[in-house]
Amino acid sequence: MSKNRNNKHNNQPKKKSEVIRKGTKQVNKKGTTNYTVEEETTLLPYLLTVITNKSRNAVKSILTRGQVSVNGEETTKHNYPLKPGDTVNIMSNQESKKRSELMGVSILHEDQDLIVINKEAGMLSISSDDPTEPTAYHQLSDYVKKEHPDNKIFVVHRLDRDTSGVMLYAKSEKIKEALQKDWKNTVKERIYTALVEGDVKEEQGEYASWLSESKGIKMYSNLEDNGGKRAVTHFRKVLGNENYSLLEVELETGRKHQIRVHLKEMGHPIAGDKMYGAETNPLKRLGLHATTLVLVHPGTNKLVRYTSEVPNSFLKRVK
């Protein structure tokens, strides 16, 4: 009888906190700790299992401060689902402090080959006529040199000053050349969110034209081949009201000012885009945000996805 009772007791499921295995652990030279998940769970319970030298509130603070990423994507969600094989990265306090010194730029992902950032509107991607103006490029250059003075970053693509969202830089010339050499095939998705004027009636569609640049920086569109560069833009309506519409826009080609020109040609210029016909500026900025970049990682040859949430200011205009 007692033997059977003991067997019955031993077969009872253990508490969740007792069955979460830590998985394999690696610490890189920046002090970031990487864990490989071995079984299904959620993020906060997992962190409480692997971070044993801090209180529950301290662990929650690490998560809230954006020091944790899963498979390269930063998250602050306590209940973020984890599955076997996922990689959980915990940034050191020192590294977090170094990143917090960046202005108008936050790092979404960093590895030995790439730095992926979320750029705020108003921040230049590359250079400025004013040498004292803090561009994303100059700030990231200084950031990587803190690890080693010979470190550099390399420009792969750019976002307009007034466009916010996801963009990436290479950490070596070899990686830059690999990306730029076959950019069209390497990049699988480039998705933007645009707040446009008026109520877009079509639920989804496509706009194609040929784009030419004037002597200034403005681009012009022609529906027939006039020697310009062919540009194709796909769009899907997400939300809208009588004043504004929120569109998800995917680039088939990546021409200068392509989205801005095409939405103007459709009769729905991007809010705040005075250059291309906007009459309103409710956000006090250009209503264009790069939300998603999906590409084949040049170092690992794996498909990776980097995302930045749609700004709340966009969503408020279409509620």
Side-chain angles (χ1 to χ4, degrees):
M1 284 288 291
S2 61
K3 184 175 181 180
N4 288 338
R5 280 199 304 270
N6 287 338
N7 284 342
K8 183 178 179 181
H9 176 74
N10 290 337
N11 289 333
Q12 287 178 347
K14 298 179 182 179
K15 294 180 181 179
K16 190 172 183 179
S17 60
E18 296 175 339
V19 300
I20 298 174
R21 295 197 296 271
K22 293 184 180 181
T24 57
K25 172 183 176 181
Q26 292 180 323
V27 181
N28 67 19
K29 58 186 177 182
K30 288 188 174 184
T32 298
T33 308
N34 306 321
Y35 292 93
T36 302
V37 178
E38 292 189 349
E39 57 189 41
E40 288 189 9
T41 181
T42 52
L43 188 53
L44 182 57
Y46 186 78
L47 293 176
L48 291 170
T49 301
V50 299
I51 304 175
T52 57
N53 61 341
K54 295 185 183 297
S55 68
R56 180 183 180 89
N57 285 339
V59 173
K60 290 171 73 174
S61 294
I62 289 172
L63 185 55
T64 302
R65 287 196 300 265
Q67 290 179 235
V68 179
S69 61
V70 179
N71 300 327
E73 185 173 336
E74 183 182 305
T75 182
T76 58
K77 295 179 180 177
H78 292 191
N79 62 345
Y80 190 100
L82 300 177
K83 61 184 185 301
D86 283 348
T87 301
V88 176
N89 311 96
I90 305 170
M91 190 190 310
S92 67
N93 289 334
Q94 182 180 1
E95 184 69 12
S96 177
K97 182 181 177 182
K98 192 166 69 170
R99 291 189 179 190
S100 69
E101 294 171 356
L102 299 171
M103 295 188 302
V105 170
S106 57
I107 295 176
L108 299 175
H109 170 79
E110 181 181 1
D111 57 39
Q112 64 182 5
D113 299 312
L114 303 174
I115 293 184
V116 184
I117 66 165
N118 180 40
K119 184 186 82 69
E120 293 181 6
M123 174 64 63
L124 279 170
S125 305
I126 302 173
S127 60
S128 169
D129 294 333
D130 179 0
T132 65
E133 183 174 3
T135 68
Y137 173 79
H138 287 140
Q139 289 191 78
L140 292 172
S141 293
D142 291 342
Y143 165 78
V144 298
K145 288 181 187 301
K146 288 179 180 178
E147 182 181 348
H148 193 284
D150 292 337
N151 285 351
K152 296 180 181 179
I153 62 164
F154 298 83
V155 176
V156 177
H157 68 123
R158 65 187 71 189
L159 292 178
D160 292 341
R161 177 199 281 268
D162 294 321
T163 302
S164 56
V166 179
M167 64 177 300
L168 66 80
Y169 294 84
K171 295 177 78 173
S172 70
E173 197 158 10
K174 178 183 176 182
I175 293 296
K176 171 197 171 181
E177 290 174 355
L179 286 166
Q180 291 185 334
K181 183 179 179 180
D182 199 21
W183 182 253
K184 184 177 180 181
N185 292 318
T186 299
V187 175
K188 302 303 181 182
E189 291 180 39
R190 289 178 72 185
I191 300 173
Y192 291 72
T193 297
L195 182 73
V196 302
E197 294 182 341
D199 183 11
V200 177
K201 301 303 181 185
E202 301 92 337
E203 289 300 314
Q204 59 184 19
E206 173 187 298
Y207 195 92
S209 71
W210 281 261
L211 299 183
S212 304
E213 188 170 1
S214 68
K215 290 182 179 179
I217 61 170
K218 193 171 182 179
M219 303 297 291
Y220 292 89
S221 176
N222 197 304
L223 293 176
E224 297 180 357
D225 188 351
N226 62 345
K229 295 181 178 179
R230 189 167 187 269
V232 182
T233 303
H234 303 272
F235 69 91
R236 179 178 69 86
K237 184 176 180 181
V238 180
L239 292 167
N241 53 39
E242 60 182 7
N243 297 314
Y244 297 101
S245 298
L246 195 70
L247 304 181
E248 183 181 88
V249 183
E250 184 168 2
L251 294 177
E252 185 173 317
T253 56
R255 311 301 184 198
K256 182 178 179 179
H257 292 186
Q258 175 178 325
I259 295 173
R260 297 167 65 182
V261 178
H262 278 177
L263 293 176
K264 176 216 173 207
E265 293 288 300
M266 289 169 51
H268 297 281
I270 297 174
D273 196 0
K274 187 176 180 180
M275 178 182 287
Y276 292 106
E279 296 179 353
T280 65
N281 188 9
L283 306 174
K284 307 305 177 189
R285 54 156 292 190
L286 185 71
L288 187 60
H289 181 76
T291 49
T292 305
L293 181 63
V294 179
L295 70 151
V296 178
H297 192 292
T300 64
N301 209 34
K302 293 182 179 179
L303 194 67
V304 290
R305 173 183 293 266
Y306 305 114
T307 61
S308 173
E309 291 185 0
V310 179
N312 286 330
S313 57
F314 285 38
L315 299 171
K316 287 177 181 178
R317 292 291 165 179
V318 289
K319 285 183 178 178

